[in-house]
Amino acid sequence: MAGESIYGAVTTAILGGGLTGLTLARLLHERGEEVIVLEAEPVIGGLCRSVTKDGFTFDIGGSHIIFSRDAEVLAFMRRMIAGNEQRNNRNTKIFYKGSFVKYPFENGLSQLPPDDRFLCINGFVQNLIAVEKGDVKEPRNFREWIYFTFGSGLAECYMVPYNEKIWKYPTEKMSLHWVDGRIPRPPVEDIIKSAIGIETEGYTHQAVFSYPVDGGIEALVRAIAKPVEKFIRTGFRVTAVKKKGTAWLISNGSETIPADKVICTIPVQHLLPCLDSVPTEVNAACEALVYNSIACITIGIKGTLPPISWMYIPDKKLGMTNRLSFPSNFSRHAAPEGHSSILAEITYQPGDEVATLPDATLVDEVTRMLEEMGVCTRDRIEFSAVERQPFAYVVYDLAYQENIAVVKEYCTNAGIPLVGRFAQFEYLNMDGVIRSVFDFLGNGRAG
């Protein structure tokens, strides 16, 4: 490996300067450990980066908000942005057959066309009876779980179309192991109340959410990183990780940094090529892991927008966008005065049609959709850009558990812990990422 670093041996080298790596670095630093964070990109933040252009601030790794059922993690995040926090009441919709239906879908049944409302209620009740009588087989995949949990009406009107749109993967070829706690079964009384127009709330843990007033979601990672800024190396793309005696040697091809320990928070797809003599079956298991990329189409407009937080779009006929968010409704400083902003998210599989579409085509596609939905006309658009992230969503295919077990076992035996969304290769939100750090460190507390 090329020339020795100017650094002396550090206690811990953290691969990756996203939310996971920076949280790890901060908490280890607060314990008195020496750390160095090695980030391949010119800036820190990973999927939690933000950009400000022409007075508009956008998150470039998809729309992010600060909420959690985990009181400890939520307190940590809110403490990080203290003095730079705007709290918002969630006002989220699903665009369904030309109408803005309350989210979650089962809480907005009274707003559906009568025939669809009947399909959803009847399907839910009939399925509930069948499940209680034992007439329905236990689900074996995600699609069967949707029908088992929600009934045919809710499944076919919203749950299956939306999930296949975001995951870009057949729901019958997806595992169901991950849905417990993430997609709750709606209470029967809520379904009935919703159907007859009595107000109900679902996913109450995100009914009030926070967001930085200035700096976008990157303000959160910047605040976390503040005590360890001088220990962060950006533009250091790791190409080799080797064990020499009791030390680790981490190289970018021109410089080598020694460390006592290594923690990986980068995608395992990037880690394994850095290691020597990885067995064929481990590489094969890693290559078989499925993930989505994301294109974020950012649009700045003149004038105001409805006070909607974000919106789900299950209908494929409307276009490729699966979710819209409205950053100017998250923060009063996210757009210049007299302006508003929209972020459209389009997920895609690496190498598919969307991956090769020019940015201008994606902007035009979203503009056409916004006009058709009645959200915004193209003459109001003053700014547009496209930001792409190659790693966005972990897709839990049927072979996922077997494949990730092979990869994790190899890395554990190699002495390289995996922490965070794409290192553990788990669908973790921001709070889940921070919880993974707390659990890894075993302290159960935010420093």
Side-chain angles (χ1 to χ4, degrees), residues 9-30:
V10 296
T11 301
T12 302
I14 298 168
L15 311 185
L19 178 60
T20 308
L22 297 171
T23 305
L24 268 168
R26 181 190 181 104
L27 298 186
L28 287 170
H29 173 72
E30 289 176 350

Side-chain angles (χ1 to χ4, degrees), residues 90 108 110 118 227:
R90 181 190 69 198
S110 65
F118 171 76

Side-chain angles (χ1 to χ4, degrees), residues 48-270:
C48 293
R49 285 174 292 163
S50 307
V51 294
T52 298
K53 296 178 182 176
D54 297 347
F56 295 97
T57 299
F58 293 100
D59 299 337
I60 64 171
S63 179
H64 299 282
I65 59 171
I66 295 172
F67 73 96
S68 185
R69 290 189 182 94
D70 188 326
E72 184 182 25
V73 170
L74 182 60
F76 173 80
M77 291 191 287
R78 291 189 52 217
R79 188 161 67 250
M80 292 301 103
I81 62 166
N84 185 31
E85 178 186 12
Q86 178 171 319
R87 291 200 204 177
N88 303 287
N89 293 320
R90 181 190 69 198
N91 180 21
T92 303
K93 305 294 183 183
I94 297 158
F95 192 78
Y96 183 79
K97 295 188 176 180
S99 296
F100 298 102
V101 174
K102 183 177 180 177
Y103 164 87
F105 193 74
E106 60 270 19
N107 293 92
L109 296 181
S110 65
Q111 298 166 321
L112 302 184
D115 287 349
D116 289 350
R117 187 160 67 245
F118 171 76
L119 282 174
C120 291
I121 302 165
N122 186 60
F124 184 83
V125 172
Q126 294 293 338
N127 182 71
L128 193 64
I129 294 168
V131 169
E132 289 182 352
K133 290 171 62 178
D135 293 342
V136 181
K137 292 180 180 178
E138 287 291 320
R140 297 162 296 176
N141 57 57
F142 184 36
R143 185 186 188 91
E144 290 181 1
W145 180 88
I146 291 173
Y147 277 82
F148 183 87
T149 304
F150 294 93
S152 58
L154 285 162
E156 292 161 16
C157 287
Y158 175 68
M159 291 295 293
V160 170
Y162 180 74
N163 277 286
E164 293 200 338
K165 199 175 189 186
I166 186 173
W167 298 116
K168 296 296 184 290
Y169 211 78
T171 47
E172 69 272 15
K173 293 184 179 180
M174 290 179 66
S175 168
L176 57 78
H177 77 278
W178 59 280
V179 295
D180 280 345
R182 185 176 283 273
I183 309 176
R185 179 192 291 272
V188 178
E189 56 270 25
D190 277 12
I191 292 286
I192 297 170
K193 285 180 179 178
S194 171
I196 62 176
I198 297 176
E199 191 80 4
T200 59
E201 288 293 338
Y203 301 0
T204 53
H205 59 289
Q206 58 173 219
V208 177
F209 66 92
S210 297
Y211 191 80
V213 177
D214 294 301
I217 204 63
E218 190 175 311
L220 172 66
V221 292
R222 291 278 172 186
I224 292 171
K226 192 168 181 60
V228 293
E229 285 175 345
K230 63 183 178 180
F231 307 119
I232 300 171
R233 284 286 306 274
T234 55
F236 193 102
R237 189 172 295 276
V238 176
T239 58
V241 179
K242 294 185 179 180
K243 190 79 176 285
K244 186 176 182 181
T246 60
W248 289 95
L249 301 177
I250 303 114
S251 175
N252 65 355
S254 60
E255 180 182 0
T256 300
I257 293 176
D260 297 326
K261 295 182 289 187
V262 173
I263 303 173
C264 174
T265 75
I266 63 176
V268 285
Q269 292 86 346
H270 289 173

Side-chain angles (χ1 to χ4, degrees), residues 53-57 300-301 303 332-341 382:
K53 296 178 182 176
D54 297 347
F56 295 97
T57 299
I301 71 164
R332 57 186 177 273
H333 292 173
E337 189 160 350
H339 293 73
S340 305
S341 55
E382 296 190 352

